[in-house]
């Protein structure tokens, strides 16, 4: 069992930057793919970014490419999402998730955090 806790959300203006952090429990963090998802009000949850266990590989949704950067620190059991040039369309609850054993990029995530709210005003 892995527990994930997101932090760093808040209210920002369009064009601003924000960095989210996810802290994971356990001693096997470095074996998981770690991803970020988001869910806007009234919308389905959507994929944002994922990073491989070693941190060598990253994959992004088209909406995040060039603006968002995912990173991880296996020594601290954390994964971050740096978000630049934020737009109102980025508003939503952002979730951290962990995956294992599903190839690259993963198609299934096994553990989820409870989310952190990001609101981007225009």
């Amino acid at each position: 069992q892995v527990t994930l806790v997101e932090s760093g959300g808040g209210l920002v203006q369009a064009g601003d930057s924000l960095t989210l952090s996810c802290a994971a429990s356990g001693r096997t963090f470095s074996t998981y793919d770690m991803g970020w998802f988001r869910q806007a009000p009234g919308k389905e949850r959507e994929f944002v970014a994922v990073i491989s266990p070693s941190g060598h590989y990253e994959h992004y949704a088209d909406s995040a490419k060039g603006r968002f950067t995912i990173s991880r620190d296996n020594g601290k059991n954390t994964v971050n999402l740096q978000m630049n040039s934020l737009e109102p369309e980025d508003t939503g609850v952002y979730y951290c998730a962990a995956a294992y054993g599903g190839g690259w990029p993963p198609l299934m995530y096994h553990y989820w955090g409870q989310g952190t709210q990001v609101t981007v005003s225009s």
Side-chain angles (χ1 to χ4, degrees), residues 51-75:
I51 188 167
S52 65
S54 66
H56 290 166
Y57 302 101
E58 304 164 22
H59 179 66
Y60 299 90
D62 287 343
S63 61
K65 289 179 181 177
R67 298 190 302 126
F68 293 4
T69 302
I70 189 170
S71 62
R72 68 191 297 160
D73 186 337
N74 288 343

Side-chain angles (χ1 to χ4, degrees), residues 22 61 66 72 84 95 107 110 114:
C22 172
R72 68 191 297 160
N84 298 324
Y95 298 90
L107 299 179
H110 302 86
Q114 292 190 338

